[in-house]
Amino acid sequence: MREPPDASQAPRFTGPRTFGRLPYTTDLVDVDAAIYGMPWDGSTSFRSGARFGPEAVRSASSLLRPYNPVAQVQVFGAVSTIDYGDAPTVPGYVEETLTRIEAFVDPLVERGVVGVGVGGDHSVALAELRALAKRHGPLGVVQLDSHTDLWDLYFDKPLSHGTVFRRAVEEGIIDPGRVLQAGMRGPLYGASDVDVPRELGVEMVPWIELAELSPAEFGELARGRVGAGPAFLSFDVDFVDPAFCPGTGTPEVGGPTSFQALGYLRALTGIEFVGYDVVEVAPPYDSAQITALLAANVVFEMLSLVAQAAR
């Protein structure tokens, strides 16, 4: 069983900065879940800095404890979990970076280890989805975000953090009929942008409507949309209002609090998630680790979903 050291014997501020003070290893024997970093921000359209996201989230995660009292589930000590290290990236070359991240994730998928990626800008999700689809086929997706990331082109180029899920639909690695996006808000380029998810067959719930749903109602909506079969859960930290999550590249005001965001996340039980990520943590714009602390707890809630599914 891979788990952190006892914090009553070794203070949390000691030791190397792995996620949750978990053992760092690439040995996947007897491993249920693996945390890995994707230090990349070459596809951001506004503020860069997410290449430092994995480092910041690891540092903030040292305060995590093994038991989740809200989900009423033991996480560390029940789910054998490791820190798998960082995927290799190539500054300035998005295609090569995605290829290398995909190859890095491949062994986890092949061994049936549930991966939880920490970004990095949202373009990295395309590499994760490619790796997962090779084993599972087209995936369902639940995306908590303030943007759909369904644009066709950015600066006349097809690969960016704003086009990732459109490329995934076009490549056939996600099933648009099993995709639910929630939390979208902010100004758009034109009225036609509102229709893009529907045109691609994706269900999108803007924040102004999601805010009227309880977490339980959202969970029911997600289970109904994703249905049976493998799925991926992607949490962009700009889903959360920048008052509670300032350290991100493309913040959108008027969103959920961190409490509300965790509530929607915790409601996503009963879905066969085979992979997770939390992306767009940009420490240069953070304050007192506010964003990194949120992201670390999002990862913990994702691991809680893994533990709940294993019960």
Side-chain angles (χ1 to χ4, degrees), residues 60-298:
S61 71
S62 63
L63 191 59
L64 295 173
R65 301 176 182 89
Y67 181 72
N68 186 329
V70 177
Q72 297 182 339
V73 67
Q74 187 76 23
V75 180
F76 300 136
V79 179
S80 182
T81 311
I82 62 169
D83 189 317
Y84 193 58
D86 281 351
T89 60
V90 187
Y93 295 88
V94 59
E95 293 92 343
E96 182 61 24
T97 288
L98 293 178
T99 297
R100 295 190 185 194
I101 293 174
E102 179 183 349
F104 181 82
V105 175
D106 276 340
L108 300 178
V109 179
E110 292 165 2
R111 293 294 296 266
V113 175
V114 178
V116 183
V118 179
D121 75 47
H122 217 156
S123 65
V124 297
L126 187 59
E128 299 172 285
L129 291 166
R130 286 170 174 171
L132 288 162
K134 284 186 286 190
R135 174 170 178 171
H136 299 288
L139 299 153
V141 174
V142 177
Q143 177 189 348
L144 298 175
D145 203 327
S146 66
H147 312 100
T148 64
D149 298 341
L150 290 172
W151 308 116
D152 186 16
L153 301 172
Y154 249 104
F155 307 103
D156 298 320
K157 298 298 181 182
L159 294 176
S160 85
H161 70 162
T163 65
V164 55
F165 290 103
R166 190 185 191 103
R167 298 288 88 83
V169 169
E170 293 173 347
E171 292 181 17
I173 56 179
I174 65 175
D175 176 359
R178 298 180 57 226
V179 174
L180 177 65
Q181 302 179 314
M184 289 70 210
R185 62 188 184 275
L188 299 172
Y189 294 109
S192 61
D193 292 341
V194 177
D195 298 324
V196 171
R198 178 183 52 79
E199 292 168 354
L200 292 171
V202 169
E203 182 173 0
M204 187 270 286
V205 182
W207 168 241
I208 198 167
E209 296 177 13
L210 179 61
E212 299 299 319
L213 299 179
S214 69
E217 290 170 328
F218 174 66
E220 285 299 313
L221 177 65
R223 284 183 287 275
R225 178 67 179 182
V226 174
F232 185 78
L233 174 54
S234 190
F235 188 106
D236 187 325
V237 294
D238 69 30
F239 172 66
V240 183
D241 190 283
F244 301 89
C245 196
T248 192
T250 317
E252 300 287 357
V253 303
T257 67
S258 52
F259 173 75
Q260 289 172 306
L262 292 176
Y264 291 120
L265 180 60
R266 289 164 178 155
L268 295 173
T269 55
I271 298 174
E272 187 189 343
F273 290 120
V274 294
Y276 304 79
D277 69 17
V278 55
V279 297
E280 297 286 353
V281 177
Y285 315 103
D286 208 2
S287 176
Q289 296 184 300
I290 294 172
T291 308
L293 285 165
L294 172 72
N297 280 271
V298 166

